[in-house]
Amino acid sequence: MLSKALFAFFASIAVVSAGDGCTGDDDRSALNAPEFPPQLLSCSKRNLGDRSKTIDCLRSQQFAEKTLSETCLGCFGDTVACGAKNCRICVINQCSDSCIACTRSKCAPSLYECTGLDVETCPDPCKQKKKLLRRPIGESDDSDVVLA
């Protein structure tokens, strides 16, 4: 459920590409990298939902030694903008229940349409973040990272 909701946070108002925006091998490798979900949260929050700045932030990163295609970056940038415009609470707390519920209904369908991904194949930054918050201080376990 959280995966669908968080990726709703990244759904789009202006869909870049219908159906295959993130289905290339490099995109899949980058999206499956454990560092992608927290970087996605960081870039979107740091840039307060600004599409272009979030894309620039993600573009400057490598995930599993891969970069995201421009089309895939556009899908996520559009979704960040959707969350900022339609779900203002997401600018403050991306992983709150309110943000997740809002983006699930207002943004997720466009994200899935744009990326060619679905609730099962999209990485879930909030799921990973919530697991880390529940872990005792000092404990780490990479087995918690959920890869799509």
Side-chain angles (χ1 to χ4, degrees):
M1 293 280 183
L2 283 179
S3 180
K4 185 176 183 180
L6 182 60
F7 268 43
F9 177 71
F10 303 106
S12 108
I13 294 169
V15 175
V16 173
S17 174
D20 63 357
C22 298
T23 57
D25 290 341
D26 284 355
D27 287 329
R28 290 291 179 121
S29 293
L31 293 173
N32 285 330
E35 63 271 16
F36 177 74
Q39 191 62 45
L40 178 60
L41 286 175
S42 176
C43 286
S44 60
K45 187 168 186 168
R46 180 179 333 138
N47 293 296
L48 302 173
D50 181 274
R51 180 190 189 279
S52 296
K53 290 178 182 178
T54 299
I55 288 173
D56 288 344
C57 179
L58 290 171
R59 184 184 290 123
S60 70
Q61 305 296 316
Q62 283 200 337
F63 309 102
E65 299 181 13
K66 305 290 182 191
T67 55
L68 293 170
S69 68
E70 288 300 311
T71 304
C72 190
L73 287 167
C75 293
F76 284 99
D78 287 342
T79 304
V80 166
C82 175
K85 179 178 181 181
N86 298 302
C87 305
R88 299 297 297 162
I89 188 66
C90 295
V91 175
I92 297 166
N93 186 350
Q94 300 157 308
C95 295
S96 70
D97 292 341
S98 298
C99 175
I100 290 168
C102 181
T103 56
R104 178 182 296 138
S105 67
K106 297 183 186 235
C107 303
S110 295
L111 176 70
Y112 298 138
E113 181 181 339
C114 182
T115 62
L117 304 174
D118 59 32
V119 69
E120 298 301 322
T121 56
C122 282
D124 183 352
C126 286
K127 187 173 188 178
Q128 182 179 359
K129 182 178 179 180
K130 286 183 179 190
K131 282 184 179 183
L132 291 172
L133 290 174
R134 286 192 302 259
R135 184 178 301 133
I137 294 174
E139 182 181 320
S140 71
D141 180 2
D142 288 339
S143 68
D144 282 353
V145 178
V146 175
L147 303 178

